[in-house]
Structure formats: C-alpha cells, structure tokens
Amino acid sequence: MKPVADIHASTSSARSVEAIVEDIAREAGKLALTHFRSLENLPVERKGHLDLVTEADKQVEKFLIARLRDCFPDDGIFGEEGGEIPGTSGRIWVVDPIDGTFNFVRGSQNWAISIGLYENRRPAFGVIHAPVRDMTLVGGKTVPARLNGKPIKPLPALDMSRASTGFSFHPSVSTDDRLEVIRFISDDLGISFRFCGAATISLIEVAMGETDGYVSVGDSTWDVMAALPILASLGVSDTIDWDRIELPQKLRFACGSEDFLSKVRPLLQNLSAAA
C-alpha cells in the first residue's frame, strides 16, 4: 500500500493507510460491541426474509463513513446500509458495518466489520475485524496478510482425504440451487463443508487454513471486498470476473487454491446455467 501522504497529499501524518484503516475498524468494533452486549434493547428491522438490519448496523456504518471521509476525503464510499458517496480519486472504500447481522442478533460470535478498498475495478486492500473473536486481519496486493499484527502462515496444499469448504447462499436463492451446492460438495467432491452465516468469517477460515475454499451463491460485493485481497496475498484465487461486475450486483463465485477451483468450477457452471 502507498503511504497516506500519497493517497491524501494534504495529510501530514506519515502513518500507513493500513494502520489508519485498522484503527478505524477497531473503533467500529468497540461501537458494535456496545450494542452486542445489550441485544435485548436493540431495534431490529427486516430487509427481507431472514435478512435483518439493526440500529447497530446503521450506527457503525455512519461511523465508518465519517472516519473514512475524514481520512480520505477524495475517495468514494459504498456501504451495505445505503451509504454511497462519490469520490474524485477513483478509489472506493466498500464497507459492511456488521457482516453476519443475523448471527449478531442471535448472540453468535460469527460477525465482523469489513472495510475493503476497490481500485481499478479490483479489490486492492482489506481489513476485517471480528471483535468477539479478537481477530483483526489486514492484507492486500502490496501488504502481506497479517492476523493481529503477525504474518499468517502459508496455506496447506489441498488434500482431498481431509478437505473442507465453506459455502453460503442468499435467502433469495432457489431451493434447487441450494440443494445442488450441497449435493455437489457431498457427492461429487466427497468433502466436508461448513456454513457459518457470514462471508467474512467463512473467508477468515480459508485464510487460517481451517477450510480449503469457499463457494458463494448470492454474496454482495461488500461481503467480500476486504477478504479477497487479504486472501490474494496468501495465494488464494477467485472466479469473479470483476470487469463484468458492478458494486450493487450479487455474486456467484468460488475462491481457494487453483487445485480447489478446478474441482468446483463444474458446480459454478451448473448454477450459472440455471440462473
């Protein structure tokens, strides 16, 4: 990553972009935790079936937008809860204030704050902060992946005898597509799978070597914009054609090693044919 002075010439601080964004994510995590610790008083609204938004989501996104605008006034911002601010630099910060809101509302630890930099139509850098788990991941094209300030270990090679993948689908995805994902993973690949209800957490599991990959049917760009550049710095690839994707679109993709992707591409082709 470039130093802050390169991104915002009027900023006198010599601190790096990654350090500033990591601090913002941690501050947002503290705000989210205040709501998480008093869930009984938290207003919850429905955006759709099994698709929730809370006052915590709104307040955390408002905080993220304010802090990012203050630090990077020339950059645009695109947020899950309606925060969309144009910029002049060509860079866009894509934020998910609480990825895993359903888990958050149910008192689960599987949620996180996600801040990703979208530059030249590609994910370039990301910070994920999972407050309850006390995990902060940082990484990108020129920033080696780190967990709580320490380098993340190289990922293991794919071993089908003990392979596992995460997967998820949006509530609007058809039952046929859901069943096809499970059938393909169980029958065609013959591997284990995990479903944790938050893309960022599933992608953290890939980064930590707990799973070999991830299959998504219906994630949004804000769900993955921070995680994918972190994973890319660890040698993880994905199947998204960013030249054909706009930020509001839903995604159907897989990520993992090239060995993993070669095995799941037939599933993606089947789903695409049915879409």
Side-chain angles (χ1 to χ4, degrees):
M1 289 294 291
K2 301 174 183 177
V4 156
D6 290 345
I7 284 188
H8 180 206
S10 62
T11 299
S12 60
S13 170
R15 298 180 67 220
S16 64
V17 171
E18 58 263 29
I20 289 174
V21 180
E22 184 174 346
D23 283 351
I24 292 172
R26 288 181 178 275
E27 291 173 39
K30 291 177 183 178
L31 175 59
L33 278 175
T34 62
H35 293 286
F36 187 70
R37 290 167 178 157
S38 56
L39 287 174
E40 66 277 5
N41 301 316
L42 182 65
V44 179
E45 302 171 20
R46 288 179 53 183
K47 293 192 289 186
H49 180 60
L50 300 179
D51 192 4
L52 308 177
V53 61
T54 71
E55 187 61 28
D57 295 89
K58 296 176 183 179
Q59 288 190 19
V60 172
E61 181 165 300
K62 183 177 179 181
F63 169 84
L64 290 171
I65 290 173
R67 292 286 284 114
L68 289 167
R69 290 195 72 189
D70 181 56
C71 294
F72 313 111
D74 298 330
D75 295 351
I77 299 174
F78 185 78
E80 176 179 7
E81 306 309 332
E84 186 170 1
I85 298 170
T88 59
S89 68
R91 293 175 294 270
I92 302 174
W93 294 98
V94 179
V95 302
D96 192 339
I98 299 176
D99 181 45
T101 298
F102 194 88
N103 293 342
F104 182 96
V105 168
R106 296 299 303 262
S108 166
Q109 66 176 355
N110 288 335
W111 57 273
I113 287 99
S114 174
I115 307 173
L117 180 62
Y118 181 68
E119 186 173 20
N120 298 322
R121 295 189 63 85
R122 297 290 188 277
F125 166 72
V127 174
I128 296 171
H129 179 52
V132 183
R133 292 183 167 210
D134 190 28
M135 298 177 73
T136 304
L137 285 82
V138 178
K141 289 193 294 187
T142 60
V143 179
R146 301 190 305 273
L147 169 64
N148 295 344
K150 298 180 179 179
I152 297 177
K153 295 184 298 184
L155 299 181
L158 179 65
D159 178 351
M160 293 298 287
S161 70
R162 57 177 189 174
S164 176
T165 183
F167 75 96
S168 72
F169 23 63
H170 190 268
S172 64
V173 171
S174 70
T175 300
D176 286 346
D177 276 359
R178 296 178 189 220
L179 293 176
E180 175 58 16
V181 171
I182 296 171
R183 187 207 64 77
F184 184 92
I185 294 171
S186 299
D187 295 350
D188 292 11
L189 296 186
I191 66 174
S192 176
F193 59 81
R194 301 178 69 170
F195 188 103
C196 69
T200 50
I201 302 300
S202 291
L203 293 168
I204 284 175
E205 290 179 344
V206 179
M208 302 308 298
E210 297 172 11
T211 58
D212 295 287
Y214 175 66
V215 176
S216 164
V217 187
D219 278 340
S220 297
T221 56
W222 53 72
D223 295 320
V224 303
M225 192 62 70
L228 291 182
I230 295 171
L231 288 170
S233 73
L234 292 168
V236 174
S237 302
D238 66 72
T239 62
I240 302 172
D241 182 355
W242 287 100
D243 290 327
R244 296 177 178 270
I245 294 293
E246 301 300 328
L247 289 179
Q249 286 181 247
K250 296 294 185 184
L251 306 170
R252 292 188 172 203
F253 75 98
C255 69
S257 67
E258 288 300 328
D259 284 347
F260 177 83
L261 293 182
S262 70
K263 295 184 181 300
V264 299
R265 279 195 173 92
L267 168 63
L268 296 176
Q269 292 167 356
N270 290 341
L271 295 177
S272 296

